[in-house]
Amino acid sequence: MNFSCPTCQQPLTLSETGFDCPNCERHFDRIALCPDCHQPLQVLKACGAVDYFCQHGDGLISKKRVEFTPAFIAD
Ligand SMILES: [Zn+2]
Ligand SMILES: [Zn+2]
């Protein structure tokens, strides 16, 4: 899914830390969503690895399946 910068409407790029706007260089936190129920996932950090857990019955979600959305979308 593609998201646009709320300031300049340019496409945002997803990085390990969140979404960045290459045009106005703003940074936005990202939120991990469950691909099945689209609720925010609990982020579990252990030993340098990150796991994503759905508290709504879908259990552990593979990082490849996690849907990331900019935090401003979810507000
Ligand atoms: Zn921008
Ligand atoms: Zn879920």
Side-chain angles (χ1 to χ4, degrees):
M1 204 182 292
N2 290 315
F3 298 99
S4 304
C5 175
T7 303
C8 68
Q9 312 304 320
Q10 293 299 303
L12 299 177
T13 56
L14 176 63
S15 73
E16 281 298 304
T17 55
F19 287 87
D20 297 298
C21 176
N23 184 55
C24 62
E25 300 187 342
R26 289 187 67 186
H27 177 82
F28 305 95
D29 287 337
R30 69 182 189 179
I31 291 176
L33 295 181
C34 176
D36 296 323
C37 67
H38 302 285
Q39 299 294 315
L41 294 171
Q42 186 178 6
V43 182
L44 308 171
K45 293 179 183 170
C47 305
V50 180
D51 288 316
Y52 297 93
F53 185 80
C54 176
Q55 296 175 300
H56 303 272
D58 299 308
L60 276 176
I61 305 295
S62 163
K63 192 181 176 187
K64 293 193 189 96
R65 297 187 61 227
V66 172
E67 296 178 353
F68 291 106
T69 190
F72 64 81
I73 297 282
D75 281 346

